[in-house]
Amino acid sequence: MIHALYSGFITFLIALALGEPIVRYLRRRRIGKQISEYLPEHQKKAGTPTFGGFIIWLPTLVVTAVAVDWWNHQSILLPLGMIAVTAAAGFVDDLGTLQDRRQGGLSWRFKLGFTAVFALGAAIVLYRYIEVESINIPYVGSYGLGLFYIPLAAAIIVATTSAVAVSDGLDGLVGGTTLIAFIAYGIIGFIQGQEFVATFAFIIAGANLGYLWYNAHPARVIMGDTGALALGSSLAVVSLMTGQWLLLPLIGIIFVVEAGSNILQIGSYKLTGRRIFRRAPFHHHLELIGWAETQIVTRFWIIGIAAAMLGVALALEVPER
């Protein structure tokens, strides 16, 4: 646990040190994000540098290579691989959302299909090589799922990746809520004796903490899909590696609410022609009814912390067989 905490702290320091030159470089190159015309209250953020995900992933890769005994725990290459492919897709998408760019970002259908292909590959690796194909139910026990685990794990990765990306819309929202979730799974990994998983989770948490220094309201940089897609996919894989993926909707309850509000809004409009929320995802609805941006983010963090504490407690309530 001490090693994991030191690793997270060192990653935070590296992210903090790298953040300033990265932000300055992005500003100097005028790599600013274009804000949707459907968000008039956010137009003041137009031109804020994007690609802030690099502040998270560069320190994560450096510290993981040194601090995680990956040659004896090669399974850690799986979440690293998912980070690489989803961050690459996010990077291409972010290029299309820059100001003065004629081409748009990637379509949601492409991103969904792209993620699904690699999620299926990750699920097969989890099942065949890492051998984590069970469901852990608090107060009940652990049960193997057999081949059914593969499509289920793939669906979890796709859903989490999409939900985290949907939640990215306010300064500090996704950075803070994923930080909380990774700390929760780091604790779970340590309790299970998977120190390398715990270390990896705390490394990402530390990198996220460094990123938040620059993303605190008013944000100097936005993570973009370069950060959000990779955070979602790696969080899903870490939860699957601990076997406590059933608790992911609780630990990541904010992502469930945000993605769920989008689904409900689209479904309601297509079926009835009416909207349930003033605007989806839910954080925009709260803005339109008068909540301040910092108020929404802080309260979402509070909910995330409470849910993470409950999630860790429930993870301890799975009887050993």
Side-chain angles (χ1 to χ4, degrees), residues 16 71 74 83 159 161 178 195 204 214 250 264 295 301 313 319:
L16 201 62
W71 47 92
Q74 294 182 8
I83 287 171
T161 303
T178 53
E195 288 86 359
I204 296 182
Y214 300 97
L250 173 61
L264 289 173
Q295 187 179 35
W301 285 2

Side-chain angles (χ1 to χ4, degrees), residues 257-286:
V257 170
E258 294 279 75
S261 67
N262 247 16
I263 294 169
L264 289 173
Q265 186 86 323
I266 294 170
S268 176
Y269 188 75
K270 287 188 174 182
L271 291 174
T272 68
R274 297 180 180 179
R275 293 179 173 87
I276 299 174
F277 307 100
R278 292 193 179 184
R279 187 183 296 153
F282 190 56
H283 61 258
H284 289 316
H285 171 81
L286 294 175

Side-chain angles (χ1 to χ4, degrees), residues 15 18 52 59-60 63 89 105 109 130 142 200 223-224 234 236 239 244 250 261 263-264 276 288 297-300 309:
L18 287 177
T60 294
V63 179
R109 288 185 178 87
I130 303 180
S142 180
F200 182 70
M223 73 166 63
S234 56
S239 74
Q244 295 291 354
L250 173 61
S261 67
I263 294 169
L264 289 173
I276 299 174
L288 291 180
V297 172
T298 303
R299 287 180 174 173
F300 277 18
M309 289 192 295

